[in-house]
Amino acid sequence: MCGIVGYIGDKKAVPVLLHGLSKLEYRGYDSAGVAVLHNDNINIVKTKGRLKALEEILENKSLEGSLGIGHTRWATHGAPSDINSHPHLSQGSSVAVVHNGIIENYLYLKEELEEKGYKFVSETDTETVAHLIDFYLKLGMEFLDAVIKAVDKIEGSYALGVICDSYPDMLIGIRKDSPLVVGLSEGENFIASDMPAILNYTKDIYLLEEREIAVVKKDGVTVYDRNKNVVKKEIFKVNWDVEAAEKGGFDHFMLKEIYEQPKVVKDTFSGRLKEDGIVLDHIDLNMENVNKIYMSACGTASYAAGIGKSVIESICRIPVFTDIASEFRYNNPIIDEKTLVIVVSQSGETADTLAALRLAKEKGAKTLAVVNVVGSSIAREADYVLYTVAGPEIAVASTKAFSAQIAAMYLLGLFFGLKLNKISMEEYRGYASELKELPQKMNTVLQKAGKLKELSDKYLNVKNVFYIGRGLDYLISLEGSLKLKEIAYIHSEPYPAGELKHGPIALIEESTLIVGHLTRKELFEKTISNLKECKARGAKVFAITTEDNGLIGSTADDVFYIPKTSYLFSSILSNIPQQLFAYYMASGLGNDVDKPRNLAKSVTVE
Ligand code: F6R
């Protein structure tokens, strides 16, 4: 996904911008560029490809100047190319713009501008903004007024960084439906779409709200609302540093993040899983007024929501519906004031999840967001927030954030269960002591990572994989299959074990690998029969099961045992071997594990 960084101060802008962009690489991108103002001229260097390509060009073509904007682009309008990369210049090069988001009425605006004589050089929606601002400047408006006037014409989402050759002392940042923050420091200030871009320089941040506009100068920042009233902003102090986001001795961020999971789960429980009940600050929901729950999210987060549904229904016997956010928002879901809508998101910026949240609010539902990124849009807009305490997740493929989301689901299940009097304090304490043991059990699984490396070597050339299970074991199969697809680029499908024979079994052949999840004792025999059906057709079987499964025997070619826990909480353990399996497959195949092809960390467009 696109990333923005902007700088004004005494330093040379280019190194600051490049450093900032490097901290945004994890978001996924296909091109990068910078624009710097020097001697009343805006100079731009941009290119398709990795940041390294941009750095190489800049080594031979030094850009002077202490005011600049930079961008990493993830293509939406127009293919990845040098010309479509940001920053975009207005005709005559007086204005340069970087943009995250989508301008929905850009074709209409483009036509209007073309009629006025503007010539477009790129296929992007962003170029319209540069020309529009230029148009208003030429009408005699001040820079700030021209930007406000231009964004008034825009429909869609944007975070914008803008510089103008006649205003060498200012940088303008503005946002709607796409995040943007301002970094504050002595004699220099910054804008960024994501905090890591500027944390090297400052921990003091203004979080811009919808349609707020920041005029950023070397010695100060003024924030205005859409009507140009000055807004008094509070400084948000960031309490984690860039170091926290570095690889720390692991080959990849993903592996590091997999190993961080016991701590992340412990941190997510910390202060909440108390002797006499679950304590969730500021969540004073009256569950008596809730007759059903909806859960909505995208991708991996939606699988955490699925596990949440199962856990909450089991404990609370209240109906819970789940819907992928991109479906939910157009499905006219049946929700009202008696519905609690829970959205789950690592980034807190996923466009569809944000839209689902807004729809739920519009329909009068109470909303609760399970979010990792503090201060993100979803966190700010939901009625209640339960933060997962996963810290920054850098690898594009989610691992530790997912475990933290599952941990949050367990907390919610018990929290609602107690509120609704569906569990006694004694039952609660039983569940709570099991939860407290999970981080240690996760460590036990991680200690056997070598076995997964061996298995990945054995199955490195596999082309088709099925992940199967029943109940929660099926729900966790969804994530195993996604991980393998997204980082190892191997075709795989998750399937409810009992459903295979209704069609997909036709695809099973000699070279197929079946990953079977078995953590529910009562259903061991059923799933084992399904594994046998696959084996009879020549497939190889890799089973992930609990230590007490004495039945698996020779049905499986390979078995990975996880420590025994209540079936209700098994997913958080059985997920780890499949994460490691996908990781070792991907690294064994030489893939760019942390930045898999075609994927973005934060999907802020529909
Ligand atoms: C997969 C992955 C994605 C995200 C999805 C939602 O590894 O990371 O499927 O889970 O894009 O993102 P968030 O949680 O930021 O809303």
Side-chain angles (χ1 to χ4, degrees), residues 417-559:
L418 285 173
K419 274 193 172 261
L420 291 166
N421 287 322
K422 297 288 177 168
I423 47 170
S424 65
M425 193 44 76
E426 200 188 331
E427 284 169 310
Y428 165 74
R429 290 200 179 112
Y431 283 132
S433 79
E434 287 220 46
L435 289 188
K436 283 184 191 146
E437 286 172 11
L438 285 177
Q440 186 44 43
K441 290 181 178 170
M442 294 171 86
N443 269 322
T444 309
V445 177
L446 287 166
Q447 278 158 12
K448 296 194 289 179
K451 164 102 182 155
L452 281 318
K453 169 82 182 75
E454 276 168 30
L455 287 181
S456 74
D457 290 342
K458 176 171 171 185
Y459 292 117
L460 202 60
N461 295 321
V462 75
K463 295 283 178 275
N464 283 302
V465 184
F466 280 87
Y467 283 75
I468 67 167
R470 289 165 182 264
L472 282 164
D473 287 337
Y474 162 61
L475 296 173
I476 204 65
S477 296
L478 298 168
E479 172 65 0
S481 173
L482 181 72
K483 281 284 122 12
L484 194 71
K485 284 188 199 84
E486 62 182 341
I487 61 167
Y489 315 144
I490 293 172
H491 175 251
S492 75
E493 289 200 45
Y495 242 86
E499 186 68 10
L500 270 186
K501 62 171 84 61
H502 297 285
I505 202 162
L507 290 173
I508 310 281
E509 55 189 8
E510 289 278 326
S511 55
T512 312
L513 173 65
I514 311 291
V515 180
H517 280 277
L518 306 92
T519 65
R520 187 170 173 190
K521 201 165 185 150
E522 307 93 275
L523 298 179
F524 281 168
E525 285 179 26
K526 305 262 178 221
T527 306
I528 286 173
S529 306
N530 301 130
L531 294 175
K532 282 193 196 304
E533 286 157 11
C534 299
K535 213 169 153 57
R537 284 156 183 85
K540 290 271 177 271
V541 172
F542 162 31
I544 297 172
T545 188
T546 40
E547 279 159 353
D548 61 342
N549 186 347
L551 300 173
I552 190 76
S554 61
T555 305
D557 298 279
D558 299 285
V559 185

